[in-house]
Amino acid sequence: MYATGGQLYDVLNSLAGDGSAADERGLSRESLAGQPLDVVCQRLAEALAPENGDSDRIREAIDEAMLEVLGEGNFDPDQLDSETINCILGEYLSQSIFQEIVEEVGGSWANAPDEQRTPEAEAELLEVIRVVVDRNLEPRLSDAGIMTQADVHRFMRESVTEVWLEWESYDE
C-alpha cells in the first residue's frame, strides 16, 4: 500500500505534466481524458496495484481518494494541479491507514458490546486519520515540493504510529 501511494503520486504528477511517466504504465493523458472517473480509478488501480493480498485494499483506497477529491463525472487531467494532487495523495494515505488500522482492530470492534457503535467509531477514526495526515503532509509538501516514493512510504509508516497514539489518547 505504501509503495503504491508513491507510485500514484508520481503518475498523477505525470498526468498533470507531460505524461511520460504515466505513459510508461499504459496510462496516457489522451486515453484517460474524458473517461468516467470510476473507469480512470480502475485503470490506475490495474496499473499500480501489485498482484498480492493488498490489491483490493489499494483499489479501494484509490477509488475513495479520487472520488472524494474529484467527485463524480469525467476525468480531466488538466484539473490535476499540485493542490489537487496533494489532496488526492492525502486522501489515499488516509484511506490506506484507515484500512490498515480497521483490519488490525476489526475483530475487537466485532466483539464490542454495542455493535451499533462500530460505524460511528470507524467514522471518528477516519476523521482522526485525515486530521493527522493533513497536519503532517502539508508541511512536507511545502518544504520538499514533490515527494519521492520513499518519502511517501516513510510518511505513511510515521502517520500510522501517530494515528495510533492519537486514537489511544481518546477517552472512550
Side-chain angles (χ1 to χ4, degrees):
M1 299 241 1
Y2 299 159
T4 301
Q7 294 169 14
L8 176 64
Y9 186 69
D10 287 348
V11 166
L12 293 174
N13 275 302
S14 175
L15 290 171
D18 68 4
S20 59
D23 275 340
E24 292 173 13
R25 294 186 172 272
L27 300 166
S28 72
R29 284 176 52 93
E30 296 77 24
S31 70
L32 297 177
Q35 292 293 320
L37 193 53
D38 60 333
V39 170
V40 172
C41 292
Q42 182 180 4
R43 297 262 323 271
L44 284 168
E46 287 171 0
L48 301 177
E51 293 297 323
N52 63 27
D54 287 338
S55 64
D56 288 340
R57 290 176 28 194
I58 289 168
R59 289 174 196 282
E60 185 177 334
I62 289 172
D63 282 353
E64 293 290 333
M66 295 287 285
L67 293 171
E68 178 72 25
V69 175
L70 299 176
E72 301 285 327
N74 294 334
F75 180 70
D76 179 2
D78 292 331
Q79 290 180 320
L80 294 176
D81 57 19
S82 61
E83 182 179 342
T84 302
I85 292 169
N86 293 348
C87 288
I88 293 169
L89 177 64
E91 187 61 24
Y92 173 83
L93 298 176
S94 296
Q95 292 292 332
S96 298
I97 293 167
F98 174 75
Q99 288 179 28
E100 183 174 327
I101 292 173
V102 167
E103 189 172 291
E104 193 168 317
V105 300
S108 300
W109 279 342
N111 297 326
D114 184 3
E115 288 181 18
Q116 294 176 338
R117 173 91 171 93
T118 299
E120 184 180 325
E122 287 180 351
E124 290 171 6
L125 174 59
L126 181 55
E127 196 52 42
V128 167
I129 293 168
R130 285 177 172 150
V131 167
V132 168
V133 168
D134 287 347
R135 179 176 63 216
N136 295 318
L137 186 60
E138 181 65 34
R140 288 185 184 205
L141 291 171
S142 297
D143 293 344
I146 293 180
M147 294 176 72
T148 65
Q149 288 184 28
D151 293 334
V152 172
H153 186 102
R154 187 172 33 260
F155 175 81
M156 286 183 73
R157 289 209 180 274
E158 292 167 2
S159 295
V160 167
T161 301
E162 187 170 340
V163 165
W164 271 119
L165 291 171
E166 189 138 344
W167 183 250
E168 288 172 353
S169 73
Y170 274 59
D171 198 21
E172 302 242 283

